Amino acid sequence: LGMLRRYLDEKGDCLVPKAYETAEGVGKLGGWVDRQRTAYSKGQLSEVRMKRLGELGFVWGAQEAAWEKNLGLLGQYRGEKGDCLVPQAYETSVGVKLGSWVGKQRTAYSKGQLS
């Protein structure tokens, strides 16, 4: 939990990318987080662990939370630029590839896959 707490302090959330490795090279924090979500979804995570992770603000539905976070970033972009015409290569100051995300949303919409 210590590495997750440091990630939270640095990034402001517990949405650790699956491939994320700690700066210290101690371990693959993203893989550990993914295993916690998998155990939770299978009902194999203890109440104690769920409580401790919950106290950190752990997000069980990472995809939905990431989508909402990106939507918020798109709103900020619109507020600054006046439109949602995000260039494909645009990356936010916090390292989110917003242009790529917007492109994926447009593709999903055109295929009727965006709810």
Side-chain angles (χ1 to χ4, degrees):
L1 284 175
M3 289 189 293
L4 182 58
R5 184 170 280 117
R6 281 193 294 282
Y7 182 93
L8 173 62
D9 290 344
E10 291 173 16
K11 308 287 186 182
D13 61 43
C14 292
L15 297 171
V16 183
K18 191 172 183 177
Y20 182 84
E21 295 188 31
T22 62
E24 302 88 11
V26 175
K28 296 182 179 183
L29 180 60
W32 180 84
V33 165
D34 187 59
R35 287 188 297 280
Q36 305 314 298
R37 288 192 180 107
T38 299
Y40 173 81
S41 70
K42 292 181 176 182
Q44 299 172 343
L45 198 63
S46 73
E47 291 291 326
V48 172
R49 185 161 285 191
M50 283 191 291
K51 183 177 187 261
R52 291 180 69 196
L53 289 167
E55 289 169 351
L56 289 179
F58 194 82
V59 177
W60 301 107
Q63 289 180 334
E64 182 66 24
W67 193 92
E68 291 292 338
K69 180 179 179 179
N70 288 340
L71 183 63
L73 291 170
L74 179 59
Q76 289 176 357
Y77 180 93
R78 183 175 183 237
E80 294 170 10
K81 308 287 186 185
D83 61 44
C84 292
L85 302 173
V86 184
Q88 181 68 29
Y90 182 81
E91 191 170 314
T92 68
S93 61
V94 293
V96 174
K97 296 178 180 178
L98 189 62
S100 175
W101 181 81
V102 168
K104 289 176 184 175
Q105 303 316 300
R106 288 190 177 119
T107 298
Y109 175 80
S110 70
K111 292 180 177 181
Q113 298 172 340
L114 192 62
S115 58

